[in-house]
């Protein structure tokens, strides 16, 4: 005679685990996405960009201009920004000579103020990109395996500790 009670208990745990896995994976992916937003914000702050308020705010979940979409059907997370100049800050750009930028000088730092009567006139020059998004993606790529392993170890330990 074979006692299959332990095998039946194992099968019930597997069924319960299967039902919980997709929601848990989605929650984990969302948490990793929020960690990525923190990384991007740190890169923006460390890059010493001229005006980082709008750009920085767009890399918060639910912030103006933010793209943070989690599609649970395919477990896909899309993170980005709709701030039009973000790509120029990241990759760099050429300045159009003669263009007036409204704002004020505060010591050696220029603060952009839309509609200001004072400002500066641009000279032809190239502005190097800060590569804030590229650097953030590199950081997350290095962190992701450990983050995912830790999350799923916790998940499996709930069922098979």
């Amino acid at each position: 005679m074979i006692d299959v009670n332990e095998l039946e208990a194992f099968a019930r745990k597997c069924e319960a685990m299967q039902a919980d896995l997709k929601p848990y994976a989605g929650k984990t992916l969302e948490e990793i996405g929020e960690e990525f937003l923190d990384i991007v914000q740190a890169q923006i702050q460390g890059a010493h960009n001229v005006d980082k308020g709008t750009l920085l705010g767009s890399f918060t979940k639910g912030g103006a201009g933010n793209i943070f979409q989690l599609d649970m059907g395919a477990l896909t997370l899309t993170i980005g920004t709709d701030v039009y100049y973000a790509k120029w800050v990241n990759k760099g750009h050429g300045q159009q000579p003669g263009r007036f930028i409204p704002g004020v000088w505060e010591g050696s730092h220029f603060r952009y103020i839309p509609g200001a009567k004072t400002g500066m006139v641009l000279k032809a020059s190239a502005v190097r990109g800060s590569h804030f998004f590229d650097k953030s993606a590199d950081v997350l790529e290095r962190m992701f395996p450990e983050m995912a392993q830790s999350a799923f170890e916790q998940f499996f330990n709930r069922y098979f500790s």
Side-chain angles (χ1 to χ4, degrees):
M1 181 115 125
I2 300 173
D3 183 7
V4 293
N5 287 337
E6 287 186 31
L7 185 57
E8 288 172 350
F10 176 76
R12 282 192 300 277
K13 285 181 182 181
C14 287
E15 287 174 11
M17 181 185 70
Q18 183 179 4
D20 290 345
L21 182 59
K22 192 169 185 177
Y24 185 85
K27 178 179 168 275
T28 299
L29 188 59
E30 185 173 3
E31 289 170 357
I32 289 171
E34 290 171 358
E35 178 69 25
F36 180 66
L37 290 176
D38 291 343
I39 294 167
V40 172
Q41 286 183 334
Q43 289 291 335
I44 291 169
Q45 289 173 326
H48 306 295
N49 297 313
V50 173
D51 176 27
K52 59 187 167 206
T54 303
L55 184 61
L56 187 65
S58 74
F59 283 102
T60 55
K61 187 175 173 189
N66 176 268
I67 298 171
F68 192 99
Q69 301 165 339
L70 179 60
D71 178 357
M72 292 294 290
L75 288 177
T76 302
L77 177 64
T78 305
I79 295 176
T81 181
D82 281 334
V83 172
Y84 73 94
Y85 60 83
K87 63 183 173 194
W88 300 327
V89 174
N90 187 56
K91 297 290 185 190
H93 62 282
Q95 291 185 351
Q96 179 183 351
R99 188 169 137 228
F100 176 75
I101 306 295
V104 295
W105 283 97
E106 297 171 342
S108 62
H109 179 74
F110 182 78
R111 185 167 54 99
Y112 170 69
I113 302 173
K117 297 197 184 313
T118 61
M120 67 177 169
V121 177
L122 298 178
K123 297 179 184 177
S125 64
V127 177
R128 293 191 321 189
S130 65
H131 305 284
F132 70 90
F133 200 83
D134 304 327
K135 291 175 183 176
S136 300
D138 290 343
V139 169
L140 183 65
E141 191 174 316
R142 287 191 306 271
M143 293 173 60
F144 184 79
E146 186 176 322
M147 293 169 75
Q149 181 177 346
S150 173
F152 287 103
E153 278 179 8
Q154 290 175 14
F155 176 77
F156 289 115
N157 285 339
R158 287 176 22 197
Y159 294 93
F160 304 108
S161 58

